[in-house]
Amino acid sequence: MEHTSILERLLRAAALTVIVVFFMFPIVWILLMSVQTNATILSDPPTLAFTPTLSNYTALITGQLDTQAGSLNIEFMQNLGNSAILSVCSVVVALLLGVPAAYAFARHRFRGSEDIAFTLLSFRFAPPLLVVLPLSLYFQDIGLADTYIGLIWVYQLICLPLILWIVRGYFEDISPDIEHAYRISGHSWLATFRKIALPLAGPGIAAAGLLAFIFAWNNFVFALVLASADKQPVTVGALAFVTASGIQYGQIAAAIVLAIAPTLALAIYAQRYLVEGLSLGAVKG
Amino acid sequence: MTVTTPEAAAAPRRRRRVGPKLLPYLLSLPALLVCIGILIPFFTSVFYSLQRYRLSQPWARQMNWGENYLNLLSDPSFWNTLKVSLSYTVLTVGVELVLGLGIALLLQKRTKLNNFLSITLLLPLMTAPALAALMWKLMTNPNFGVLSYFAGVVGLENFKWASSPDTALFTVVLVDVWVYTPFIMILLLAGLRSLPRQPFEAAALDGVPRTFVFWRITLPMLMPYILTASLFRMLESIQQFDILYAMTQGGPGDTLTVFQVEAYLNFFQSTNVGRSAALLLILWAITFVISNSFIKNWLRLREKARGET
């Protein structure tokens, strides 16, 4: 591979440029739109000669939207808060449930362990609506309709299998000998798990938790079916906002930017963990 | 980056009892409870699919066994759903595989630039699919959308993107490709970088042509990764809801009513719970068959790949 010709290098560079432009353009363009006034956005042809304005963001943050039909109250910040509550709580619950279970699956072969593990994995293959639509009919009866708790429980559909599979892989990579030695020197089982296994699998648990957070944040269909307006995360809120605000395109763009910023920032900040979690979860799972 | 090679994954697991017999059961109990909590709605769905059940006519609710399924099979709209779902799946996974493999090959060398680019390309994957659809909706708006403007520049006047039945499928496939190609790219990049080097060094020494190396060495060795990536993508793609619903709600007309969108509309618009559940179960059966045949092949291939190295 050392003898690359000039032509080949040029072709490679050209191909990479096209790829980067294709994948980055929408994000950059929405960012640009979010700091433009509607007048700039509607100018034909599209122009890059404009003075950036933060008015779209201030409108969203204060919740006061001026339309031709008068002023409109929007709850977009509440959607952001809902997304944060739902994602963080779902990941915490999934870690509390999933990490011990992953440890059990990695260290013990017990009757039914494979069945449980496989059932959990198979949820990844079941259509989400298959589970969520019947729930919408009887959430009312069990008092979970339109509560954060009900939603967080449903979010376990995404978070738990992910954490279980990735963390199990990490536990399996740790040699049990260290734990065994620690046990022999008289420590309890729980101390071994806390002092040895958890710290060693720490990076893996972090990777799994991050991925689960991003998947939870990005989820759309659960809340669309089960949540009323005041519990909706940004994914559903943004769609409602598009229909409600009509032609306030700058504000729609700003709303989208605010909605995708957290996951993109996380992705950039913790990219190594993410790549590890993604590849391991997929290759081993 | 640590990626488990097939060899490592297949290493025999040592069995050691680290605690009392009941402990593993206790530890996995919460996970088991969640399992059961999810299985209940699943079986409820099976039950609903065997009923004549409309939310608008609760008094007429009764068992009708397989009638919902038979009605679906004789309904042209169901065959349209099947056709749209399958075309969407084949198109998205096909394009994403070729593109993802191409990008992974371009970024194979571990240079600073390549690592930076592979992280940059990860960003679409971290964007919520529903929001990605809204982004593209803004960009393809006929009045001010930058992509509509570009289409006009290259001579496609009045290119309607998602609002015309002729180009709607193309548009949503484009969004899906934008979001999910990085997923395949990341997996295959991990695969490429974990391949053993000897065969490639030997081929380079012997002056074997590069195309030959690609078809005869790289591809076969990558096969387990390619299969895993396509399995994951197929299962997600045939069940895709977010992108299609956020973009067009299944329209224009019934051009984009894939399984889950059709089931959603059946449930909330025509309030036909039985039919919606039957649709979803057929979808589940399809995914089940796909994943099973894939897993069989994957195991066989892993054996083969291990036999060769």
Side-chain angles (χ1 to χ4, degrees), chain A residues 13 23 26 54 57 61 64 69 71 83 104 113-114 128 154 156 159 180 192 203 210 219 240-241 267 273 282-283:
Chain A
F23 283 105
L54 286 178
Y57 289 98
I61 290 165
Q64 287 298 317
S71 150
S83 271
S113 70
E114 284 302 309
V154 176
Q156 296 309 310
C159 299
H180 204 66
T192 314
L210 268 174
N219 185 281
F241 184 40
Y273 285 129
V283 173

Side-chain angles (χ1 to χ4, degrees), chain A residues 8 22-24 41 45-46 97 109 111 125 129-130 134 138 153 172 177 183 189 218 249 263-264 275 282, chain B residues 1 13-14 16 18 23 25 30 37 41-42 44-45 120 123 126 128 144 149 178 210 228 235 239 260 287:
Chain A
E8 190 187 334
F22 172 72
F23 283 105
M24 284 302 109
I41 291 173
L97 296 177
R109 287 276 162 274
R111 209 194 313 203
F125 305 154
L129 283 175
L130 191 66
Y138 55 71
W153 180 67
E172 277 176 356
D177 296 347
R183 287 279 288 146
W189 177 91
N218 288 349
Y249 300 116
T263 50
L264 297 197
V275 172
Chain B
M1 208 167 93
R13 296 195 192 101
R14 258 176 270 170
R16 284 272 172 80
V18 193
L23 201 66
Y25 288 101
F42 176 85
T44 315
S45 272
T120 315
L123 293 184
M126 299 301 151
F144 63 87
Y149 171 76
W178 183 78
R210 265 201 263 168
T228 312
L235 294 174
Q239 300 181 9
Q260 287 225 84
T287 54

Side-chain angles (χ1 to χ4, degrees), chain A residues 1 3-4 8 12 15-16 19-20 22-27 29-30 33 41-42 44-46 97 100-101 103-112 116 118-120 122-131 133-138 153 156-157 160 164 168 170 172-173 175-177 179-180 183 189 192 211 214-215 217-221 224-225 234-235 238-239 242 249 252-253 256 259-260 263-264 267-268 271 274-276 278-285, chain B residues 1-4 9 13-20 23-25 27-28 30-32 34-35 37-42 44-45 48 53 55 99 103 105-107 109 113-114 117 119-131 134-139 141 143-147 149-150 174 177-179 181-183 186-187 190 204 210 225 228 231-232 235-236 239 241-242 245-246 249 260-261 263-264 267-268 273 276-277 280-281 283-284 287 291 295 298:
Chain A
M1 303 281 164
H3 317 289
T4 43
E8 190 187 334
R12 265 171 178 269
L16 275 177
I19 288 161
V20 170
F22 172 72
F23 283 105
M24 284 302 109
F25 179 80
I27 296 176
W29 192 258
I30 294 291
M33 261 181 89
I41 291 173
L42 291 171
D44 187 45
L97 296 177
Y103 186 68
F105 289 146
R107 284 283 174 269
H108 304 269
R109 287 276 162 274
F110 54 95
R111 209 194 313 203
I116 301 174
F118 196 79
T119 312
L120 274 169
S122 68
F123 292 145
R124 289 193 66 151
F125 305 154
L129 283 175
L130 191 66
V131 174
L133 288 180
L135 282 183
S136 72
L137 292 178
Y138 55 71
W153 180 67
Q156 296 309 310
L157 259 179
L160 196 63
L164 207 66
R168 181 175 99 150
Y170 276 95
E172 277 176 356
D173 285 346
S175 150
D177 296 347
E179 290 166 42
H180 204 66
R183 287 279 288 146
W189 177 91
T192 314
L211 264 184
I214 288 173
F215 278 80
W217 181 282
N218 288 349
N219 185 281
F220 169 75
V221 70
L224 180 75
V225 173
V234 277
T235 40
L239 186 63
V242 168
Y249 300 116
I252 294 175
I256 293 176
I260 62 174
T263 50
L264 297 197
I268 293 169
Q271 18 105 353
L274 274 184
V275 172
E276 236 175 60
L278 271 176
S279 354
L280 190 89
V283 173
K284 272 199 138 172
Chain B
M1 208 167 93
T2 55
V3 174
T4 13
R13 296 195 192 101
R14 258 176 270 170
R15 293 170 198 194
R16 284 272 172 80
R17 285 204 23 239
V18 193
L23 201 66
Y25 288 101
L27 285 177
S28 51
L32 190 65
V34 174
C35 253
I38 287 164
L39 284 174
I40 293 170
F42 176 85
T44 315
S45 272
Y48 288 161
Y53 182 11
L55 292 177
L99 201 58
I103 301 172
L105 285 168
L106 281 174
L107 300 179
K109 272 200 188 141
L113 176 71
N114 283 357
L117 286 180
I119 299 308
T120 315
L121 291 181
L122 211 57
L123 293 184
L125 182 62
M126 299 301 151
T127 311
L131 295 170
L134 292 182
M135 287 161 71
W136 284 79
K137 208 173 168 168
L138 283 181
M139 294 195 303
N141 181 299
N143 300 327
F144 63 87
V146 64
L147 293 181
Y149 171 76
F150 284 156
L174 192 65
V177 165
W178 183 78
V179 175
T181 303
F183 175 77
I186 282 293
L187 281 197
R210 265 201 263 168
Y225 294 93
T228 312
L231 170 66
F232 274 76
L235 294 174
E236 271 183 330
Q239 300 181 9
F241 175 85
D242 303 13
Y245 186 83
Q249 273 99 51
Q260 287 225 84
V261 172
Y264 181 88
F267 190 96
F268 285 105
V273 176
S276 165
L280 289 166
L281 273 162
L283 171 61
W284 176 78
T287 54
S291 52
I295 287 167
W298 190 77

